[in-house]
Every structure is written in structure tokens, then in C-alpha cells.
Amino acid sequence: MQKRTFPGKTALLIFSLAVVMTFVCWRAPGYSAVVVETVNGRAVLDGGVEKARNEAVAAALQEALNRYIFTEKGVSRRFEKEITENIIKRPNRFIMSYEIQSERPLGDLYLVELKVELQEEALNAALEKIEKPRKRMVKRLVLAVLPPLSGNDEEAVAAALDPEVDAAAPVLETSLLYRTLRSELAVYGFELTRSGPFTPDLETMLSRTLKRSGEWNDDEQKIDPDWFKGLLAGDLVIVIRSSPAREEKVVSLGKSFWKGRAEMAFVDMKNGLVTHLPPVAAKVIEPDYVSGLKALTRSLTEKVKSACLDRLLRDYVMPETRETVLMLECRGFRSPADFELLRQRLENLRIVREVSLVGLAAGQLELQLRLLVNAEALLEWLNNFQDPEFAGRLSAYSLDSKAQYIVVSADYADRPD
């Protein structure tokens, strides 16, 4: 196997990048500025082995970029021309390195398999410049969650709409998804409403928005976002459909693997776009049906929420980077686990840059937060906070006019111990 880097990469630069990546990964587990793709390339052996080899490598590198942009990021093919000119034809800016996994001639072809490292931040910045200037801002969002199906074909759609057919077990907690999405989106100026139940015709139309290129029959008419105007009151519809829960028994452990998957699409009526998000999947291992379905539902719901938020904020929001520092005094938490849950949820908020524990006393804890938006947005989020793992509710208020010191209290009065 051979490792190749593009001209201009020096040993010092690579070492520096490695140090930076190590620090970033330590500070934020799971985050990486490098995306790794394993791809294949081929070329015709008509001008010698070396020429075919170089052409096959170039084809594989292009495939790595295309896969990341159009499959994993779900960018609309509407921007293909600009992406080709600004990204595909300038691979040196976006490909950090590649490694040849295998190569061989096969008849008249030369085949290669590469492991390619893409520079995620550079790619995302370039995509943002291409997409955003042509998009009008949306404000009113509609959440449309469809019944779970085992497939995308018309027979499955018809079966789901038949009142005599039992619906498959859902693996999305729709009410929780709606509450948490609405709470966080409000911070960025979005208004989210929930729609449903749907008429059979509307449900069939929404289901068709989930079809991707290559899934349409020749005699089918592709969905036009304008068709939904007047049927759903909003600028953009978030369409979500999960598969039924799947169980795989593990006899040796006395448990089961539970699997679930969800498809998502945005129907942007204001810009006339249908955007497909990459599907998300969840997998848990539990001993019985009740705990298995519950854990799977929780995991898949969280992944769907994160995927929708990430894409909406990437495509439609550019938050102001004006950092605000404030103190959060926490009172009345009856267990360390409840306080830790709140701290984790704060850290996961995209409006929060940093959370630090600065004060600890009996029955009272203080956190210092660094926000990217004004404190009023955080106050609203705290007062609307709901989580299935938290047995109470929160109330928050500011002690000063600038909301730089906030008191948040946990109330368990309505919940049994």
C-alpha cells in the first residue's frame, strides 16, 4: 500500500495537523475534521499501465468527493455545475491524502481501490458558499412524520393507509422529537408546527418526497414542492419516516439486537427544493421486547433530531458569533444524575460554546456558560426543557437586566419520587 499526499504538504505541516486533530478530538469526542472514504476507480488500458493507473486514481478521487457531497451530505444535484467547477476540478484543496489499498489489471481495464482522507471543514465551507447565496430564508417549518414502512414502493404506501392493516411498531418518539426540535429551533428564529393525520393523497405525496434519484419509475411524475402550498401551512416541510423495528436474537447472550432506520427529506416550498438527508440508523442490544423497543426509539429519535438540526443550521442559518458569558445557578436538583443530565444537554446545544463548573455547595451548583447568542434564547430553552430521563421540570429567571446571572430551579412537585 502506498500513501500519497498532494504537493505542498510538508512533514512539519502534517505533524502540526496531527497535533491539532489530537487536541480537537480530546476536547470534543466523536468530532473530526477529516472524513475517510474507501472508493474504487477504473480506467481503460489503451495508453500503457502508468497512464491507466493515474486515470483510475483520478476517477477514484472524484468518486470520493461525489460520494461525500451528494450521498453523505445530501446536497441537491441542482448545484452540480457549481460543485464541479469549484470542488471536483480542484481536488488538491479538499483531499488531504490517499492510500492505495489494491490495484490490478483486469482485461482491458486497470482497477484501483483507495482510502481517501477528505478535509471536511474546507468542503463544508465551499458547499455553504455554493448553496446559501441562492436560497431564500425560511422561518415557518412543519414536521410531518409518516407511518413506518418496510419499503418505498406503492404497495407499502397503500398498505400503510389501509385501516384494516395493523401498523408496524413505531421507532420514533414523535412527541419528544417535536418538543425538542421546536425548543432548539426557536433559538434561531424558526417556528415549528406539527401536521397530521394526513389524507391518503397527501400522505402518498409526502411519501414520494423520500424517493431519491434512480428510484422513480419512468411513468411517475416527480414531486414539485409547489404542490404542497395551501396543503401545509409553512415554508419548509420536514418529512420523516422510520422503518419498523427489527429484532435479531443472540441466543448465546440471551438478548436481541434491535435495529431501526429513518429517512428524511426537506420540502422547501419557498425555494422550490426537495433535499434528501442521508438516512440514519440505530442499533441497541437489550434482553426483552419492552426495553429493546424503548432504547431503540430513544436512540433513533435523538439521531433524527440531530440530523435535522445540523442540516437546517448548515443550509439556512449563519448564527452571529458574538460570545456572551453568563452564570447559571442551579437549585433544587435532588440527585447528581439530574444535574449531570442538564449539564450534558447544555453542552450539546449548538448555541453553547463551553460549559464549566465553577461553584459547588450543598444544594447549589454554579455553571459558567459561553453562548453564541443572547441569553434570552437560553432562558426560553430552560423554561421549555423536557427530557424523558428528567423526572421534574425547570423554571429559570434572570437576576439582572442583561441576563448575565440566571437562576434555574428543578421542581419535582408534579412527579413522584
Side-chain angles (χ1 to χ4, degrees):
M1 293 186 292
Q2 304 175 49
K3 183 90 171 205
R4 304 296 176 90
T5 57
F6 283 90
K9 301 290 185 183
T10 65
L12 178 60
L13 176 58
I14 294 174
F15 175 76
S16 300
L17 286 171
V19 172
V20 171
M21 286 304 301
T22 301
F23 177 76
V24 170
C25 292
W26 174 75
R27 290 300 300 269
Y31 175 83
S32 174
V34 176
V35 176
V36 178
E37 300 280 358
T38 300
V39 289
N40 298 309
R42 63 176 61 189
V44 179
L45 277 164
D46 58 355
V49 172
E50 191 62 28
K51 178 176 180 292
R53 184 174 187 267
N54 292 337
E55 290 176 352
V57 168
L61 295 176
Q62 181 174 325
E63 172 60 21
L65 289 168
N66 279 321
R67 180 187 296 179
Y68 176 78
I69 293 168
F70 296 111
T71 301
E72 297 184 12
K73 299 298 291 185
V75 175
S76 172
R77 290 281 179 179
R78 181 177 180 178
F79 303 105
E80 189 168 5
K81 182 179 178 180
E82 294 96 322
I83 288 170
T84 299
E85 292 297 323
N86 294 283
I87 297 177
I88 305 300
K89 290 184 177 180
R90 302 177 180 180
N92 292 21
R93 294 176 53 195
F94 307 102
I95 297 175
M96 180 176 292
S97 66
Y98 67 88
E99 189 174 304
I100 299 178
Q101 303 293 294
S102 64
E103 55 181 315
R104 64 189 176 98
L106 180 64
D108 295 333
L109 297 176
Y110 195 88
L111 310 179
V112 297
E113 182 183 25
L114 305 184
K115 184 170 77 171
V116 185
E117 293 184 342
L118 304 178
Q119 300 195 66
E120 184 179 26
E121 292 181 0
L123 276 166
N124 289 344
L127 290 172
E128 184 176 304
K129 290 180 181 178
I130 291 171
E131 291 183 290
K132 277 194 174 179
R134 294 177 55 178
K135 284 186 178 177
R136 298 165 61 194
M137 292 302 298
V138 300
K139 182 177 181 180
R140 298 176 303 152
L141 310 180
V142 180
L143 179 64
V145 179
L146 301 177
L149 302 177
S150 58
N152 291 329
D153 58 9
E154 295 300 322
E155 292 182 4
V157 175
L161 298 175
D162 188 342
E164 297 183 0
V165 176
D166 290 336
V171 283
L172 275 181
E173 197 169 343
T174 308
S175 296
L176 176 63
L177 176 64
Y178 170 63
R179 292 196 305 268
T180 54
L181 264 178
R182 182 181 61 177
S183 176
E184 190 161 345
L185 286 172
V187 171
Y188 296 96
F190 290 112
E191 298 173 2
L192 181 66
T193 58
R194 181 178 170 184
S195 185
F198 310 105
T199 64
D201 288 341
L202 180 54
E203 186 161 344
T204 300
M205 287 172 58
L206 288 168
S207 181
R208 288 181 178 176
T209 65
L210 296 168
K211 287 193 173 185
R212 298 170 180 269
S213 300
E215 295 179 353
W216 292 89
N217 298 325
D218 294 337
D219 58 345
E220 286 184 317
Q221 187 176 3
K222 292 189 177 181
I223 291 293
D224 185 338
D226 287 341
W227 296 350
F228 294 94
K229 291 181 177 178
L231 298 177
L232 295 168
D235 303 322
L236 182 146
V237 186
I238 304 172
V239 185
I240 302 172
R241 181 176 63 199
S242 67
S243 66
R246 304 295 184 192
E247 179 185 14
E248 294 180 8
K249 292 188 178 296
V250 185
V251 178
S252 60
L253 298 177
K255 297 183 179 181
S256 295
F257 278 117
W258 294 87
K259 298 179 181 179
R261 183 175 181 273
E263 302 170 279
M264 296 160 287
F266 294 163
V267 183
D268 184 345
M269 293 176 280
K270 206 166 188 179
N271 293 283
L273 293 172
V274 176
T275 302
H276 294 99
L277 280 66
V280 297
K283 187 174 183 180
V284 300
I285 183 168
E286 293 290 340
D288 56 58
Y289 178 86
V290 174
S291 62
L293 193 60
K294 182 178 180 180
L296 180 64
T297 299
R298 184 77 51 79
S299 177
L300 189 64
T301 300
E302 180 62 30
K303 289 186 176 184
V304 167
K305 183 197 80 169
S306 295
C308 290
L309 283 170
D310 288 343
R311 192 55 183 266
L312 282 167
L313 300 186
R314 194 202 85 180
D315 287 2
Y316 294 99
V317 174
M318 188 177 293
E320 298 179 18
T321 56
R322 50 176 185 179
E323 190 172 292
T324 303
V325 179
L326 60 85
M327 299 300 297
L328 194 68
E329 181 182 312
C330 303
R331 300 176 179 174
F333 287 82
R334 67 183 183 188
S335 73
D338 283 352
F339 173 74
E340 178 63 16
L341 175 68
L342 174 62
R343 189 189 64 79
Q344 290 179 357
R345 296 295 183 265
L346 286 168
E347 286 184 340
N348 291 337
L349 278 177
R350 290 154 182 81
I351 62 170
V352 177
R353 171 168 289 175
E354 182 182 349
V355 179
S356 305
L357 179 64
V358 294
L360 180 61
Q364 181 175 311
L365 304 119
E366 287 188 342
L367 295 172
Q368 178 177 281
L369 275 63
R370 294 184 180 274
L371 297 181
L372 300 179
V373 295
N374 59 55
E376 284 73 15
L378 180 68
L379 273 169
E380 182 176 354
W381 182 86
L382 288 167
N383 281 307
N384 290 295
F385 179 80
Q386 288 181 314
D387 193 286
E389 297 181 25
F390 183 62
R393 64 180 304 275
L394 300 180
S395 59
Y397 59 92
S398 174
L399 291 181
D400 55 21
S401 60
K402 295 183 179 180
Q404 291 181 327
Y405 196 96
I406 293 175
V407 175
V408 56
S409 299
D411 181 7
Y412 301 91
D414 300 328
R415 303 289 184 93
D417 289 335

